[in-house]
Amino acid sequence: MKFEDLNLISQLQQALADEGYEAPTPIQQQAIPIIIDGKDLVGCAQTGTGKTAAFAIPIINNLHPIVGAAKKVKYIRTLVVTPTRELALQIATNFDAYAKYTNIRTLTIFGGVNQNPQVDQLKKGVDVLVATPGRLLDLHKQGFINLDHMHHLVLDEADQMLDMGFINDVKKIIKLTPDNRQTLLFSATMPLPIRELADSFLTKPEYVSVTPISSTAEKVKQHMYLVGKEDKRKLLYHLIRNENLNNVLIFTRTKHGADNVVKALKKHGVESGAIHGDKSQSARQRVLDAFKNKEIPALVATDIAARGIDIESLPYVINFDLPNIPETYVHRIGRTGRAGNSGLAISFCGRDELPYLKDIEKLIGQKIKVIDGHPYPYSDEVKPEGAKPDFRNKKKNPNNNKPGGGSVSNNNSGARSGKSKPGNSNSRKSAESKKNKKRWY
Ligand code: AMP
């Protein structure tokens, strides 16, 4: 299928050609005709599938005749609600690019920054408003947002909004919009509260779905390192240096964890930057630009901040912490191996994270290769009174200084259960230490 087959206005066709888009992606092929038809839609698709264009293209197509000439008074005709400012900015950038030959104006509003410039822009009038839930409700309450003329409501990354505790805000927002709106809901996963949201607020929606969440994992090479919690930073540095990893996106579970990783890497002379909710918008943008321009080799992000980062063809993703929600693992590793490129996803799993690993493998339906023989495995050793945690790393492993720092295990069972394999030095040590069951890590 080609874009010409979708009966789009010429202004859109030209803009898409300028973007270098040759053909609609599967989610676009399915969703565009439904949305142009004015039907409600539930789209199960994640970032990287072209889902933003899947709703932006038909919306622009339908808005263009309504918005008309430049001088016409503007009303908010389309509202896109999305969980993070990064996503909001990304969506608005896409709308701007696709609508560049029309008079459609897009504005992004999000919290954490002064509201005045946003209010000034709202007063001038916009056709498409892309917003995070909190700031939207706030400015609506202050009387700066009129949704009475709205045609399209898009709820983007609905599952993430649920995870972030925005579900009640989302419900409040829906109630502020006209009943005869067209509603489009996009979500990478469909947990029950999202299905309930769709049932309550959408009218006879059509359902479209691309690449079920668990299948993304098949394209990406995945390696798992079972590592002592306190040794993760050392292993990270070891891999970046010995494997010569450049352009690495590192995920941590917490903001604090992200900052710590940046500090630890800096100590070893590896420059990186963190993006998370406590960083100002300009700080995030600076770091992101430095990473995109390859001025820094590593970017450290929390899951929430990483949503909406649009970086093509990332070669490496490292899960410094394993996420407790298995779908998040698939989201994370989906950052690499995009658009047919190969990618490597490296994960660190501490002993306390083994249950998460089990859940992830269940979701993706495959065992992840465990890399054995790296310098920082966890073991059943017992810490002698007063010993420093580092004592066990000395001369532990013949592969210690080899580039790559490990070999692939074909038999994961021992490592996963936390038991060392027969015959290696760890198992001997662990046998010796079994008398004293108390673990020191
Ligand atoms: P998204 O899933 O919306 O985050 O889109 C992922 C990336 O795919 C973005 O960089 C888009 O610019 C790009 N994209 C979207 N649609 C197409 C298309 N039909 N052809 C090529 N690239 C596309």
Side-chain angles (χ1 to χ4, degrees):
M1 186 189 261
K2 293 197 157 162
F3 279 113
E4 292 92 81
D5 303 326
L6 290 167
N7 283 329
L8 303 174
I9 53 170
S10 59
Q11 290 86 342
L12 258 172
Q13 306 237 28
Q14 184 57 51
L16 296 176
D18 292 355
E19 288 298 298
Y21 295 2
E22 282 169 8
T25 64
I27 185 80
Q28 291 162 9
Q29 291 183 22
Q30 295 179 58
I32 291 175
I34 295 169
I35 303 174
I36 287 184
D37 250 13
K39 293 181 187 139
D40 281 5
L41 176 119
V42 175
C44 191
Q46 63 188 113
T47 305
T49 55
K51 79 173 159 62
T52 314
F55 62 80
I57 291 171
I59 286 176
I60 292 167
N61 197 74
N62 289 5
L63 271 191
H64 175 63
I66 301 168
V67 168
K71 286 189 180 140
K72 218 167 141 183
V73 178
K74 293 203 170 292
Y75 297 105
I76 297 167
R77 310 280 185 178
T78 299
L79 172 64
V80 183
V81 185
T82 191
T84 67
R85 45 185 130 179
E86 282 78 14
L87 257 166
L89 287 166
Q90 193 59 49
I91 293 167
T93 305
N94 285 19
F95 264 95
D96 283 339
Y98 309 147
K100 69 178 180 186
Y101 297 115
T102 73
N103 289 315
I104 295 170
R105 250 185 59 76
T106 301
L107 174 68
T108 316
I109 60 168
F110 45 77
V113 291
N114 187 329
Q115 71 170 43
N116 294 340
Q118 299 175 358
V119 170
D120 290 345
Q121 293 301 315
L122 281 167
K123 284 179 183 161
K124 282 186 195 154
V126 297
D127 305 293
V128 177
L129 183 64
V130 186
T132 53
R135 179 55 60 98
L136 175 70
L137 284 172
D138 196 7
L139 293 186
H140 185 274
K141 205 168 156 196
Q142 296 176 52
F144 294 119
I145 291 175
N146 174 0
L147 298 174
D148 296 348
H149 300 265
M150 216 190 76
H151 293 245
H152 318 102
L153 172 65
V154 183
L155 303 173
D156 188 37
E157 304 268 350
D159 55 348
Q160 191 70 3
M161 293 206 271
L162 174 75
D163 284 353
M164 290 170 70
F166 288 152
I167 198 82
N168 286 330
D169 282 353
V170 170
K171 287 179 186 165
K172 277 188 211 158
I173 291 166
I174 299 174
K175 286 178 186 154
L176 299 174
T177 63
D179 286 344
N180 62 354
R181 63 174 191 267
Q182 180 182 16
T183 312
L184 314 172
L185 183 150
F186 287 86
S187 196
T189 56
M190 285 291 160
L192 188 63
I194 298 302
R195 274 176 275 153
E196 284 171 354
L197 191 74
D199 287 346
S200 324
F201 295 106
L202 275 68
T203 312
K204 292 191 194 149
E206 301 261 345
Y207 286 82
V208 300
S209 172
V210 289
T211 43
I213 179 76
S214 55
S215 71
T216 323
E218 286 160 21
K219 291 185 292 185
V220 179
K221 208 156 103 188
Q222 300 167 67
H223 287 171
M224 185 66 61
Y225 286 77
L226 304 172
V227 53
K229 204 172 178 178
E230 69 292 347
D231 285 335
K232 283 185 173 184
R233 288 179 220 166
K234 286 185 219 155
L235 178 61
L236 178 66
Y237 168 70
H238 171 85
L239 290 176
I240 289 180
R241 271 288 141 89
N242 289 325
E243 296 270 350
N244 209 5
L245 304 186
N246 257 308
N247 225 218
V248 200
L249 178 58
I250 301 163
F251 285 98
T252 59
R253 208 176 299 138
T254 64
K255 303 170 200 173
H256 186 61
D259 287 334
N260 281 344
V261 167
V262 170
K263 272 186 219 148
L265 287 177
K266 195 176 172 76
K267 240 191 214 165
H268 286 99
V270 178
E271 283 300 326
S272 63
I275 57 165
H276 55 64
D278 286 351
K279 299 268 176 192
S280 70
Q281 182 56 24
S282 56
R284 291 188 201 195
Q285 201 57 50
R286 254 196 324 274
V287 169
L288 198 54
D289 288 344
F291 183 65
K292 278 186 177 177
N293 299 332
K294 304 208 167 52
E295 289 157 20
I296 53 172
L299 178 69
V300 189
T302 56
D303 290 300
I304 287 167
R307 284 272 177 136
I309 299 176
D310 184 35
I311 305 165
E312 296 291 327
S313 320
L314 263 180
Y316 306 107
V317 164
I318 297 185
N319 294 306
F320 188 83
D321 300 308
L322 274 192
N324 53 351
I325 300 167
E327 281 86 358
T328 303
Y329 173 83
V330 183
H331 275 305
R332 288 179 178 187
I333 72 166
R335 294 275 166 192
T336 180
R338 278 193 186 188
N341 291 309
S342 64
L344 173 64
I346 294 170
S347 301
F348 296 171
C349 178
R351 190 183 297 278
D352 55 329
E353 294 170 307
L354 282 170
Y356 303 156
L357 175 57
K358 214 170 130 202
D359 288 347
I360 289 165
E361 290 184 332
K362 200 168 146 202
L363 176 77
I364 63 176
Q366 57 176 288
K367 289 268 176 212
I368 303 172
K369 266 183 188 169
V370 168
I371 306 297
D372 272 346
H374 65 81
Y376 304 107
Y378 56 54
S379 71
D380 280 336
E381 288 167 16
V382 178
K383 184 186 185 186
E385 278 308 307
K388 294 227 160 71
D390 264 348
F391 80 99
R392 67 201 170 95
N393 295 325
K394 283 177 195 149
K395 284 195 267 164
K396 180 181 295 179
N397 196 302
N399 289 329
N400 260 7
N401 297 318
K402 284 186 187 164
S407 58
V408 174
S409 160
N410 293 320
N411 174 4
N412 301 329
S413 56
R416 277 161 202 236
S417 62
K419 290 173 197 150
S420 302
K421 287 188 193 165
N424 74 18
S425 62
N426 291 343
S427 78
R428 276 197 306 278
K429 281 184 190 171
S430 112
E432 281 159 20
S433 64
K434 268 191 184 134
K435 283 169 241 154
N436 185 350
K437 289 275 186 230
K438 196 163 165 274
R439 288 182 179 145
W440 60 268
Y441 39 82

